[in-house]
Amino acid sequence: MEEISETFIKNVKEKIKRVNTLVEAKKMKVDILGKNGLLKSKFAEIKKLSPEKRAELGKMLNDAKREIESLLLDKIHELKKMEEQHKIVEKSIDLTLPGARRNFGKLHPISQITQECVDIFNKMGFEVVEGPEIESSYYNFEALNTPEWHPARDLHDTFYVNDGRLLRTHTSSVQIRTMESRKPPLRVISPGRVYRKDYDSSHLPAFFQIEGLVVDKNVSISDLKGTLENAIKSIFGNDKPIRFRPHYFPFTEPSIEVDVSFPEGKGKWLELLGAGMVHPQVLRNVGIDPKEWQGFAFGMGIERIAMLKYGISDIREFPRNYLDFLKNF
Ligand code: PHE
């Protein structure tokens, strides 16, 4: 009996040591210490023994029971901890792995420059207005003092749509729409897409312009020059050499063109914008008395600004939308 008990206890301890899952350990607790467990049956057995033997073995079994209990509880505790640890490791992030790359988009360089120009002119008190890209020939040409027979119309190689409508060749059409719908004084800019049948390293069939228009009292060409100089310096920096040249547009008189040196210091000039004092006939066309009001207007190419600013020699880079190119801005 003594031997049996000793081997029994030894075996149980061995078994507990080998358990390695929580489920097994809990099952073992029931099997050994439970109501119908192994120890209970052992206690039952010793009841049949003589009083002396019973006392001796009873003490031994009681000691064993305490020991087994604490062994099992320790084991359960240990396994619980291990499983928790396991869960944490499974859920946690491996900080040594390279991070997942995210490609954030950004504005196209043309949109960036447009926004920059809008901000600059906003600060000078200009308000943004917009007009349609599909335009009548009246708003694109006639109202701007450019009748059908006018030689300047040949310069704009126009895309015609139907029933006399066309894709606007410049944002100047918005000048007319604005003067028709509002009363002076006016101080507006109008960014937008324009179209011409042209395609080479410095021309696109669809490109962007910003139109500017001021109508007020006592406006002179020095106001125009000051406004343009301020805007151009804000865009390119104070040191950028600029040049005003006399020019011709049917809707301004006198008319000028503004060039910017490109590339710096090499004595080469690139045309940036056209401008002038609003032609009295244009004012009359929209019912504004040119004796009372004067105005100036300008129109500049956004791609041109971007090319000059970033030193890009082929305008066709912009609509190609190659990420390797666009990522530079
Ligand atoms: N509309 C002209 C162009 O596209 C530019 C311009 C605008 C000139 C306003 C004078 C006044 O070339």
Side-chain angles (χ1 to χ4, degrees):
M1 189 70 207
E2 209 167 314
E3 252 177 273
I4 293 171
S5 294
E6 269 180 8
T7 7
F8 160 73
I9 292 163
K10 216 178 128 212
N11 281 346
V12 170
K13 284 185 187 170
E14 280 301 312
K15 251 179 142 183
I16 295 173
K17 267 187 208 154
R18 283 197 302 269
V19 179
N20 50 23
T21 71
L22 194 56
V23 182
E24 258 181 84
K26 282 180 175 169
K27 184 174 179 293
M28 200 175 266
K29 193 178 159 206
V30 177
D31 289 349
I32 298 168
L33 301 167
K35 260 192 218 157
N36 306 310
L38 269 175
L39 276 174
K40 267 271 149 63
S41 62
K42 289 285 167 197
F43 278 112
E45 270 178 43
I46 61 170
K47 277 184 190 152
K48 297 171 208 156
L49 300 175
S50 65
E52 311 92 73
K53 276 266 172 200
R54 202 192 298 169
E56 193 191 323
L57 273 174
K59 188 183 175 304
M60 202 175 135
L61 270 178
N62 266 323
D63 290 347
K65 189 188 168 199
R66 235 169 287 133
E67 210 184 333
I68 288 168
E69 238 165 19
S70 101
L71 272 176
L72 260 174
L73 288 180
D74 283 353
K75 191 76 188 182
I76 287 172
H77 185 72
E78 178 196 330
L79 288 170
K80 249 190 197 156
K81 257 196 152 166
M82 265 172 63
E83 289 199 357
E84 270 163 24
Q85 203 65 35
H86 219 76
K87 272 183 201 153
I88 290 170
V89 170
E90 264 174 12
K91 271 193 222 154
S92 66
I93 302 159
D94 181 355
L95 294 176
T96 63
L97 285 174
R101 271 183 190 281
R102 283 210 195 181
N103 278 322
F104 287 108
K106 52 181 173 176
L107 288 179
H108 190 282
I110 296 304
S111 304
Q112 287 182 37
I113 299 271
T114 305
Q115 194 52 55
E116 201 179 313
C117 291
V118 167
D119 290 345
I120 288 166
F121 283 106
N122 275 168
K123 279 193 196 124
M124 290 194 262
F126 287 78
E127 182 192 340
V128 174
V129 290
E130 281 179 310
E133 290 177 24
I134 298 174
E135 199 41 291
S136 70
S137 124
Y138 176 77
Y139 285 111
N140 197 81
F141 291 125
E142 280 94 297
L144 287 159
N145 204 27
T146 320
E148 197 142 8
W149 49 262
H150 200 290
R153 249 163 104 153
D154 300 341
L155 301 175
H156 292 223
D157 242 331
T158 312
F159 288 107
Y160 284 91
V161 186
N162 49 26
D163 40 315
R165 287 188 305 161
L166 46 82
L167 299 183
R168 66 179 178 188
T169 60
H170 52 185
T171 40
S172 297
S173 50
V174 188
Q175 284 186 33
I176 304 299
R177 287 182 174 274
T178 308
M179 289 189 286
E180 269 185 1
S181 63
R182 297 181 183 203
K183 294 227 166 318
L186 294 167
R187 214 174 172 79
V188 295
I189 47 163
S190 183
R193 197 184 249 120
V194 300
Y195 302 85
R196 289 182 204 176
K197 283 186 190 165
D198 241 344
Y199 189 62
D200 59 38
S201 62
S202 48
H203 298 91
L204 288 172
F207 61 104
F208 290 86
Q209 284 190 332
I210 286 197
E211 188 80 12
L213 172 72
V214 169
V215 180
D216 210 333
K217 294 193 168 160
N218 304 316
V219 176
S220 76
I221 197 158
S222 35
D223 297 316
L224 169 61
K225 283 183 77 178
T227 303
L228 291 178
E229 209 169 313
N230 185 33
I232 294 168
K233 298 218 151 144
S234 301
I235 299 168
F236 294 105
N238 281 333
D239 311 329
K240 191 79 176 170
I242 53 177
R243 170 173 96 167
F244 292 87
R245 259 183 310 113
H247 196 69
Y248 172 78
F249 295 104
F251 37 92
T252 46
E253 182 59 36
S255 303
I256 56 170
E257 262 190 347
V258 182
D259 301 331
V260 177
S261 86
F262 175 79
E264 266 99 332
K266 295 226 171 111
K268 219 179 130 190
W269 297 92
L270 209 110
E271 173 204 324
L272 182 66
L273 61 86
M277 301 307 291
V278 179
H279 196 291
Q281 186 55 47
V282 173
L283 293 175
R284 276 193 289 271
N285 289 346
V286 291
I288 294 175
D289 181 1
K291 288 206 185 77
E292 200 186 335
W293 302 95
Q294 302 80 47
F296 65 75
F298 54 88
M300 50 198 191
I302 306 284
E303 282 84 353
R304 279 287 162 85
I305 298 175
M307 287 168 85
L308 284 160
K309 196 163 167 144
Y310 301 124
I312 290 148
S313 52
D314 194 329
I315 196 171
R316 291 169 294 196
E317 290 290 351
F318 294 110
R320 273 208 314 172
N321 283 339
Y322 279 12
L323 282 180
D324 282 349
F325 172 74
L326 295 177
K327 274 179 188 157
N328 296 311
F329 306 97

